[in-house]
Amino acid sequence: MKLYFHPYIRYKFLNSLFTGIVGGSVFTIYGSLSPSTFSIGGILLALGLMGMAYLYHRLMVLKRFFIFSVAAEIIMLFMIGYFLLFNGHPLTALIVYGAYQLSFTAGGYLARAETHFARKARVMGWIDVAKQQGYLAGLLLSYGFYKGLEHFGISDASMQVYLLHMLLFPLELAIVMYLLKAFRVK
């Protein structure tokens, strides 16, 4: 298996664009959750990150990096789909929170593995610049999106977040596509 950095950099840009766009929406989604849920979630996240760290010596293989990357993106895709289908259901906030916690658990390993496989400072710099550009663009787009909805009289935060997730689904599909292009079997 080989990692191709040009499609990977595009993937990282889109992945960070997603993160920037979705950032503020979680506060609306998580509104129904008890504060103790975040404590339990944080404990589980810390345990998950620690468990992953114990396995780094076995996980620093390109194929596993690919599998974990795809798994994290598929979790996000399913989470968005679930949110769109069951937005009003009380369990939705917990499922969205759980999906993000799973993604963050994998993300700790993925950040380490990315550095391991990029190896060259110049490539790591390109990846980090693409990530920051994507994140900044996502924040700007989400701000413009919310202000545009307000301009058209849609000021209910729950409706705004729901409409935002309608745009996130095709974005996540594009993210998965670029991720798959970045890894190829030799």
Side-chain angles (χ1 to χ4, degrees):
M1 179 161 273
K2 184 169 171 143
L3 176 60
Y4 292 86
F5 284 104
H6 288 290
Y8 186 77
I9 289 170
R10 288 184 201 104
Y11 155 71
K12 292 308 288 187
F13 174 83
L14 291 175
N15 180 274
S16 295
L17 180 74
F18 176 94
T19 303
I21 291 172
V22 80
S25 71
V26 295
F27 298 109
T28 300
I29 296 170
Y30 296 167
S32 64
L33 296 177
S34 157
S36 64
T37 303
F38 301 107
S39 297
I40 296 297
I43 291 167
L44 293 174
L45 175 62
L47 290 171
L49 289 168
M50 191 167 46
M52 293 290 284
Y54 280 120
L55 297 173
Y56 280 174
H57 66 284
R58 292 191 177 151
L59 295 176
M60 290 301 176
V61 177
L62 190 58
K63 185 175 182 179
R64 290 192 177 120
F65 177 55
F66 170 72
I67 290 168
F68 273 87
S69 297
V70 170
E73 297 305 339
I74 296 300
I75 288 169
M76 288 295 101
L77 191 61
F78 280 118
M79 182 273 301
I80 296 166
Y82 188 88
F83 178 80
L84 290 172
L85 291 173
F86 303 104
N87 183 31
H89 197 277
L91 188 58
T92 300
L94 190 58
I95 288 174
V96 169
Y97 180 64
Y100 278 118
Q101 294 300 84
L102 274 174
S103 178
F104 295 153
T105 300
Y109 155 70
L110 293 173
R112 295 274 190 219
E114 181 179 88
T115 301
H116 174 74
F117 293 116
R119 291 203 179 129
K120 295 181 182 167
R122 180 176 221 118
V123 173
M124 286 187 283
W126 291 335
I127 291 169
D128 285 348
V129 167
K131 287 179 358 185
Q132 292 309 311
Q133 287 173 338
Y135 188 65
L136 181 59
L139 290 170
L140 291 168
L141 284 171
S142 68
Y143 177 81
F145 181 79
Y146 292 135
K147 288 300 181 185
L149 289 177
E150 288 173 8
H151 177 75
F152 289 106
I154 302 171
S155 57
D156 176 61
S158 295
M159 179 54 74
Q160 289 179 341
V161 168
Y162 181 81
L163 293 171
L164 179 75
H165 278 71
M166 291 180 83
L167 298 175
L168 288 175
F169 194 81
L171 175 59
E172 187 60 34
L173 286 172
I175 290 168
V176 170
M177 234 176 43
Y178 274 103
L179 177 60
L180 294 175
K181 284 182 181 183
F183 290 86
R184 295 189 202 122
V185 178
K186 287 196 235 180

